[in-house]
Amino acid sequence: MNSSFARISLFLLVVGFATPSIPAADSLVMRKLDTIRSQHQRLQEELRTELATIIPKVEADGDTEVAAEIRRLMRPIESSQLQFSKLPTEVAPKISRNLPDDEQAWRRELHATREKFGDSMYRLSRTALHAGFPSYAYRLVRETANIFPDHSQARRLLGYVRVEDRWVTPFAAKMARERRVWHDTFGWLRADEVDRYENGERFYRRWMPAAQEAEIRQDFRHAWEVRTEHFLIKTNHSLESGVEIATKLEEFYEFFQQTFVGYFYSPDQLKKLFTNSSGGRAPRSRDPFVVHFYKSREEYIDRLKARTPQIAITTGFYHYGDRVAYFYHDEKADDSVIYHEATHQFLYETLPTLRHVGQQAHFWITEGIACYMESYENQNGQISLGDPDYIRFAAARYRFFVDDYYVPFDEYSAMGMREFQSIPQPQIGWNYSQASGLAHFFMHYQGGRYRDALVEHLSQLYHFNPRRLKPPATLPQLIGIGPKVLDAQYAEHLKNLERERR
């Protein structure tokens, strides 16, 4: 970092975050985005105003559950992170005529309000899509379903179908037709197997006691295999741990696909999705994402050290050659490493060809986006991503303000993998901190102003064909402003995050 620039940043931090004069990206594209964002904000404010007139009626009837739901809908959406609530599985029941008149009245009013604003938000999502902002469009689709969970078009685009009075994925509907049920402990089972599994029996070539099966499965050649819609988990730790990992990864993949929808679909494909009935799942091969989960760290190292000599310094690893993500059981570990490596896997496996992403330049984003996705949390259906207090982003602010470390963006983005990773300690760790901070910046600056550009940048990098003459576009090119402006905006973003934390 230029020392004078660092001293100015630190001075602004101390005296109260004076805002520097930063030129705006005054392009036609950005003006379109600002118009859509203004309409979005107006809809949110109007929704909160109408809900505020309903909540006293709900509270007068003593329905605390519905009142809490209305308050959740009324909360302003925080721009420094993504936040969603898990959508309900059940279709809302019809309002009973047996309810008291007052309760019938406010329930109808609430339903009509949610339906009206859900429709308005969905129409705005189509506007955002046609203006060239697919990530913003899907954010609005998700918000549509959050406001009005039974909005059929939004549910379809999010990958659900209605089966009687439930919203399920097409895969779950297929399993139901095959008389299979999902068991939170044992995964997909035939309906006639559930009682036997709950009574301690297991099937491996024949029925046997659970303890006998567990002894056989210790050998990874006979590991448990947990198959879900998008994943195949192989593990010799336990069936239960395999199901737990598969469940987390399925939820993570759904969120990832919706957040980075512009990565998986071309603009023409997205427009067709909004107008046909084929559903909203991301296209990929029939082959599932493969994950190996070992019972111990020792086995993890022993199995991988031949192909990856430095495996002992890792806590998880995605191998581009065999397209397998590797992990091991560790009671003290959190799930961040799983989300980090899964991000590499999701991005890489959209194409079947072996390729080297970020070898010559732009390597920072391949690691930065994976570090960013570590911040994913799902707490009882309340999903968040990008919490500024997450350790990666706190470290980025510390390196910038305290360690006086920042590599200007034009120089930083020009680094290939070898140059990025050959920097000695501790600077290599600081490089990863900066990558995490920049990923947060491009995802959240001014409410996600540059998010679609970042997704397009990732798409061009991971789908790049070296035989083409045209290299992937840089972020400054996609956004339409120079790297020095991005440097200043990044400093502004970090200062704003630091101020919000106080």
Side-chain angles (χ1 to χ4, degrees):
M1 175 191 284
N2 179 280
S3 59
S4 60
F5 179 66
R7 285 194 292 272
I8 291 171
S9 299
L10 288 168
F11 175 74
L12 294 175
L13 178 67
V14 173
V15 300
F17 305 94
T19 303
S21 176
I22 297 174
D26 188 22
S27 67
L28 177 60
V29 173
M30 287 296 108
R31 290 200 297 273
K32 286 182 180 179
L33 177 60
D34 288 339
T35 299
I36 294 168
R37 290 173 62 187
S38 296
Q39 294 173 332
H40 184 194
Q41 185 176 13
R42 176 179 55 78
L43 281 176
Q44 290 175 329
E45 291 171 353
E46 290 176 0
L47 173 63
R48 285 194 288 269
T49 298
E50 293 203 19
L51 290 175
T53 67
I54 300 173
I55 198 166
K57 305 169 189 177
V58 179
E59 291 178 328
D61 265 356
D63 196 323
T64 56
E65 185 175 339
V66 175
E69 171 69 5
I70 294 174
R71 285 198 178 88
R72 182 185 65 78
L73 290 173
M74 292 174 65
R75 285 201 302 264
I77 296 175
E78 187 173 348
S79 63
S80 59
Q81 59 182 307
L82 295 175
Q83 294 176 312
F84 296 108
S85 296
K86 187 175 181 179
L87 297 172
T89 303
E90 303 293 331
V91 174
K94 292 182 178 179
I95 298 170
S96 172
R97 294 179 179 272
N98 297 325
L99 295 172
D101 290 346
D102 287 348
E103 184 175 352
Q104 285 190 54
W106 67 252
R107 285 187 181 276
R108 289 195 181 96
E109 184 182 2
L110 177 60
H111 181 274
T113 298
R114 296 183 74 162
E115 185 175 26
K116 178 180 72 172
F117 281 96
D119 286 340
S120 297
M121 202 68 74
Y122 179 73
R123 286 194 296 272
L124 186 60
S125 75
R126 292 174 64 91
T127 301
L129 177 70
H130 287 280
F133 303 105
S135 295
Y136 202 124
Y138 258 70
R139 172 184 170 183
L140 293 168
V141 169
R142 181 77 196 203
E143 200 167 332
T144 297
N146 185 53
I147 294 169
F148 185 54
D150 294 329
H151 193 286
S152 59
Q153 294 99 324
R155 280 287 194 164
R156 176 180 61 80
L157 286 166
L158 295 173
Y160 294 93
V161 294
R162 180 169 173 171
V163 177
E164 297 178 348
D165 291 330
R166 291 174 60 84
W167 291 107
V168 299
T169 68
F171 180 82
K174 176 178 178 291
M175 291 292 101
R177 291 193 297 271
E178 295 176 0
R179 298 184 59 78
R180 293 181 178 273
V181 296
W182 174 257
H183 194 289
D184 288 341
T185 303
F186 305 123
W188 287 108
L189 298 173
R190 293 202 316 265
D192 58 3
E193 293 177 330
V194 173
D195 287 344
R196 300 188 75 166
Y197 266 76
E198 289 182 342
N199 290 329
E201 292 185 81
R202 299 290 184 270
F203 188 85
Y204 178 69
R205 298 180 180 174
R206 61 180 177 81
W207 287 100
M208 62 183 66
Q212 183 179 351
E213 185 211 32
E215 185 175 348
I216 296 170
R217 301 284 194 186
Q218 296 303 301
D219 186 335
F220 204 83
R221 293 173 299 178
H222 308 294
W224 284 279
E225 293 189 0
V226 179
R227 182 69 164 91
T228 58
E229 182 172 5
H230 301 103
F231 293 89
L232 172 61
I233 313 295
K234 297 185 68 173
T235 180
N236 60 350
H237 179 265
S238 66
L239 174 61
E240 292 83 352
S241 65
V243 172
E244 181 182 3
I245 292 169
T247 301
K248 290 177 179 178
L249 282 172
E250 282 289 349
E251 291 171 345
F252 180 61
Y253 180 70
E254 178 183 26
F255 180 83
F256 189 96
Q257 183 256 318
Q258 293 170 11
T259 304
F260 295 90
V261 65
Y263 180 88
F264 296 100
Y265 292 102
S266 71
D268 286 342
Q269 287 174 325
L270 280 169
K271 289 173 183 175
K272 289 178 181 177
L273 272 179
F274 270 74
T275 56
N276 67 23
S277 58
S278 62
R281 294 268 154 175
R284 62 173 263 100
S285 67
R286 289 185 180 181
D287 296 333
F289 297 112
V290 179
V291 174
H292 289 185
F293 184 74
Y294 297 110
K295 63 184 177 183
S296 69
R297 175 173 172 78
E298 290 73 24
E299 183 173 7
Y300 166 83
I301 293 172
D302 186 59
R303 285 182 173 272
L304 297 176
K305 63 186 178 184
R307 69 176 74 175
T308 310
Q310 292 184 310
I311 194 67
I313 67 172
T314 71
T315 54
F317 177 65
Y318 172 63
H319 195 281
Y320 293 93
D322 61 17
R323 299 182 175 229
V324 176
Y326 296 94
F327 307 101
Y328 60 88
H329 175 68
D330 182 355
E331 292 183 356
K332 298 179 181 178
D334 60 22
D335 296 324
S336 60
V337 67
I338 292 177
Y339 300 138
H340 182 113
E341 300 303 328
T343 298
H344 288 311
Q345 192 170 32
F346 297 164
L347 294 173
Y348 192 78
E349 293 190 24
T350 51
L351 287 180
T353 54
L354 180 66
R355 59 208 186 280
H356 303 287
V357 181
Q359 289 284 89
Q360 304 303 318
H362 311 296
F363 180 76
W364 76 270
I365 188 54
T366 68
E367 286 299 326
I369 199 65
C371 292
Y372 169 82
M373 294 304 301
E374 291 177 17
S375 66
Y376 170 87
E377 282 193 277
N378 187 340
Q379 297 290 337
N380 300 317
Q382 299 301 307
I383 299 167
S384 68
L385 180 70
D387 181 355
D389 286 332
Y390 183 66
I391 187 170
R392 292 281 194 183
F393 313 134
R397 298 195 297 276
Y398 188 90
R399 300 307 171 208
F400 189 93
F401 292 121
V402 178
D403 287 330
D404 190 17
Y405 184 83
Y406 178 71
V407 181
F409 188 73
D410 58 348
E411 177 184 341
Y412 189 68
S413 61
M415 293 183 190
M417 182 179 70
R418 185 184 300 274
E419 185 178 2
F420 189 96
Q421 294 187 330
S422 63
I423 296 174
Q425 291 285 6
Q427 281 83 3
I428 187 171
W430 298 359
N431 254 9
Y432 275 81
S433 294
Q434 180 171 330
S436 305
L438 281 168
H440 193 282
F441 163 70
F442 284 110
M443 286 292 293
H444 296 281
Y445 179 67
Q446 292 188 354
R449 186 179 187 88
Y450 300 149
R451 190 175 302 156
D452 277 293
L454 179 64
V455 174
E456 175 61 22
H457 185 55
L458 283 167
S459 182
Q460 291 192 23
L461 285 176
Y462 276 86
H463 298 122
F464 175 60
N465 183 343
R467 289 177 293 182
R468 295 176 184 169
L469 296 177
K470 187 177 180 180
T474 67
L475 275 165
Q477 288 170 341
L478 290 168
I479 294 169
I481 60 176
K484 292 187 183 301
V485 176
L486 291 176
D487 290 335
Q489 289 178 341
Y490 178 63
E492 175 197 17
H493 182 68
L494 294 187
K495 290 196 291 290
N496 287 337
L497 291 181
E498 193 68 21
R499 177 171 55 194
E500 290 170 9
R501 309 275 66 77
R502 293 191 173 190

